[in-house]
Amino acid sequence: MSQGPRLRLRVHGVSNGLWNEDLAAIPKEDRTWGVYNYISLWTAMSVCIPTYMLASGLIAAGMTWKEALGTILLGNVIVLVPMILNAHAGAKYGIPFPVYVRASFGVLGANVPAMLRALVACGWFGIQCWIGGEALFRGAKIFLPGLGEGAIWWCFAVFWLLNMGVVWRGIETIKSLQVVGAPFMLVVGLSLLFWMVGRAGGFGVVLADAGAFRGMDEQAAGSDFWKIFVPSLTGIVGFWATVALNIPDFTRYARSQKAQMVGQAIGLPMAMTLYSFIGIAVTAATVIVTPDHKAIWNPIEVIASFHQPMVALVGLAALLLATLNTNLAANVVSPSNDFSNLRPNLISFRMGGLITGVLGVACMPWRLVADPERYLNGWLVGYSGLLGPIAGIMIVDYFVIRGQALNLDELYVRGGAYEYWAGYNRRALVALALGVAVALVGLFVPRLHWLYQYAWFVGFAVAALVYLMLMSGPDVRAMIPPNPLLLPVDGFEAESPMA
């Protein structure tokens, strides 16, 4: 018996429809992200204009500044739990979200949750591009005071192209921007805080006056706190419900589980709470220092109002960098992988990023951010009802059904352990449909509107319980086919002894 030639073997049924270089598992030796990378990742994603405006919006709705800050902290601690749980598989196996979700939804069924996540990301991408375009427009007006309002569309297009240019350079460019940009953005944010608080007379004066821009009187605000708190908490959880799903896209680069867990546990609550406080204090300070005592929620307007052009320019440049960082990390990486998962042989990470950019414009982001009520109770709470059920299914499948054990090779093959019925796990799809239906039924049945206010929580719980029951039946193992046939075709390399 002699050693024969090397053959390229592939599991029967596998094609480029399930694999490309962007979806492939990252080898352990190439996983280089440490604690600081994850702290800087969350700083880069959290230090952005929507975060700044979030707390101010809660106060305007009727909360005190302490209630607003506490609600934001609680919401981020809650969403940190599914974030770290879903991050585990990425760090352990080096796989991105659309590959990880194949275990629960099937190798083809994974496209359903991946597309839901991707479409929400496209909406966020468009919103951040519109905000970045506004910052660019305000900066241009410092030197061109006569610039017409119509120029904001050109600034929007320029900022969109800047995002696309970074996407084309790849994931490592995004990582480099985060490492450099995160500390710079914090310094600028703190500088803005101390600048405005100093002009207003100190923290004592500012925080004492933080209720000046509340949306209702003290007595009404106190009695209606819980009516404000419930949808606000759901909206804050929904703020990061997107990344709570696709966090494996980032933890697949982690050196260890400890690195990603510690980095996230420090980075997310700290950055969100700190930058929200900056938003509260600066907005309260504008009530004191502006001639008409009007609250300015948007930091772009605050910085643009500075009389020193160079100070204003540096501040606006920092906001541009903050928006670029957030957009790339939170709203490009995931949909790029998700679209690639649809047709890996045709759609690369770069092409997926371009698709994200086009759909981000198509969603008309200028309309999404025009109305604060539509933004919080429509956009944030609404899509949380779509994503909460996916998180529930993923966590139950990985930790309860499979005990954190995945067959890495068969995540990329047809006819394997994750084939289910023609590539779809119908039990997961049923659980997802029921979770979404219960979470969103309050939109159509007024008496059940309270379910919609808890959309993420309701969807998560319903889908998780239904999936657990459906996957606990005695016939579950019977639907998993035997090991597929190996055929000598182009694909995975293997040694094959021949006579």
Side-chain angles (χ1 to χ4, degrees):
M1 184 78 70
S2 62
Q3 182 71 28
R6 291 168 59 88
L7 292 181
R8 293 181 177 271
L9 300 182
R10 176 178 289 170
V11 179
H12 180 61
V14 170
S15 69
N16 289 336
L18 290 177
W19 184 94
N20 66 20
E21 290 185 0
D22 297 312
L23 296 176
I26 303 295
K28 286 187 176 181
E29 60 270 19
D30 293 335
R31 302 177 199 172
T32 59
W33 288 31
V35 172
Y36 177 75
N37 292 110
Y38 289 100
I39 293 176
S40 64
L41 170 72
W42 277 112
T43 302
M45 290 197 293
S46 301
V47 179
C48 62
I49 295 172
T51 299
Y52 177 104
M53 298 171 65
L54 189 60
S56 301
L58 295 183
I59 295 176
M63 289 187 181
T64 67
W65 72 268
K66 293 180 181 178
E67 289 169 347
L69 208 59
T71 302
I72 289 172
L73 177 60
L74 177 60
N76 282 283
V77 170
I78 290 172
V79 81
L80 184 64
V81 175
M83 190 88 65
I84 290 179
L85 291 177
N86 278 331
H88 189 279
K92 183 176 181 178
Y93 296 99
I95 52 177
F97 161 67
V99 173
Y100 168 36
V101 82
R102 290 174 185 175
S104 50
F105 282 84
V107 290
L108 297 183
N111 287 315
V112 175
M115 284 301 99
L116 288 175
R117 168 64 182 98
L119 291 175
V120 172
C122 290
W124 268 117
F125 179 86
I127 289 172
Q128 294 283 8
C129 278
W130 180 255
I131 290 172
E134 185 182 358
L136 196 60
F137 174 70
R138 296 286 183 177
K141 279 186 75 76
I142 293 174
F143 299 98
L144 300 171
L147 199 62
E149 291 296 318
I152 194 172
W153 295 99
W154 290 104
C155 294
F156 171 56
V158 169
F159 191 70
W160 183 91
L161 288 171
L162 177 62
N163 280 264
M164 292 297 95
V166 177
V167 168
W168 196 255
R169 292 182 62 87
I171 188 70
E172 286 303 313
T173 302
I174 297 175
K175 174 186 171 184
S176 299
L177 271 174
Q178 291 159 4
V179 171
V180 175
F184 174 65
M185 291 183 292
L186 271 182
V187 168
V188 172
L190 290 171
S191 300
L192 176 63
L193 172 66
F194 291 117
W195 174 281
M196 291 299 297
V197 168
R199 291 178 63 191
F203 280 104
V205 175
V206 167
L207 295 180
D209 204 50
F213 59 100
R214 297 174 73 177
M216 57 184 74
D217 61 48
E218 295 287 334
Q219 184 177 357
S223 63
D224 288 346
F225 168 75
W226 293 106
K227 292 182 180 179
I228 305 168
F229 172 76
V230 170
S232 297
L233 183 66
T234 304
I236 291 163
V237 172
F239 197 85
W240 292 123
T242 50
V243 185
L245 295 185
N246 75 282
I247 191 64
D249 290 336
F250 302 102
T251 58
R252 65 194 296 220
Y253 301 99
R255 293 173 185 163
S256 65
Q257 292 289 358
K258 181 179 179 181
Q260 64 90 4
M261 291 175 67
V262 172
Q264 291 199 85
I266 295 173
L268 173 56
M270 179 193 71
M272 279 293 289
T273 306
L274 174 60
Y275 210 64
S276 296
F277 175 76
I278 292 174
I280 291 170
V282 173
T283 303
T286 62
V287 176
I288 300 172
V289 303
T290 54
D292 55 357
H293 301 291
K294 177 184 177 183
I296 303 177
W297 297 3
N298 191 332
I300 295 175
E301 295 181 25
V302 176
I303 293 175
S305 68
F306 288 175
H307 297 296
Q308 296 88 344
M310 289 309 300
V311 173
L313 193 62
V314 171
L316 290 170
L319 289 180
L320 278 171
L321 179 59
T323 305
L324 180 65
N325 263 310
T326 302
N327 217 18
L328 293 170
N331 308 318
V332 171
V333 173
S334 175
S336 295
N337 287 329
D338 296 337
F339 288 125
S340 180
N341 192 61
L342 278 174
R343 294 295 298 271
N345 57 323
L346 297 178
I347 305 175
S348 64
F349 177 88
R350 288 175 173 176
M351 183 60 67
L354 294 179
I355 294 172
T356 301
V358 172
L359 293 180
V361 175
C363 76
M364 295 185 288
W366 47 91
R367 300 184 66 177
L368 286 176
V369 298
D371 180 4
E373 175 68 16
R374 180 191 300 169
Y375 171 71
L376 179 61
N377 291 319
W379 173 243
L380 290 178
V381 176
Y383 78 64
S384 76
L386 299 176
L387 304 187
I390 300 173
I393 292 168
M394 291 169 63
I395 290 170
V396 166
D397 183 80
Y398 182 68
F399 287 95
V400 180
I401 304 296
R402 306 188 189 278
Q404 305 173 30
L406 300 177
N407 186 321
L408 183 59
D409 291 338
E410 297 203 3
L411 286 170
Y412 296 91
V413 304
R414 292 301 307 273
Y418 309 109
E419 177 72 12
Y420 299 103
W421 292 276
Y424 295 85
N425 184 359
R426 292 182 289 187
R427 301 172 193 236
L429 295 175
V430 168
L432 173 61
L434 289 175
V436 171
V438 177
L440 300 185
V441 67
L443 277 175
F444 312 101
V445 182
R447 295 177 64 181
L448 297 177
H449 185 68
W450 65 273
L451 287 172
Y452 177 73
Q453 292 182 314
Y454 290 95
W456 186 90
F457 301 96
V458 169
F460 181 100
V462 170
L465 289 173
V466 170
Y467 185 74
L468 181 60
M469 289 189 293
L470 294 178
M471 292 295 287
S472 298
D475 60 330
V476 170
R477 298 303 303 175
M479 70 183 178
I480 299 177
N483 289 332
L485 176 67
L486 292 176
L487 293 179
V489 295
D490 264 350
F492 302 156
E493 287 192 3
E495 295 283 351
S496 177
M498 296 182 63

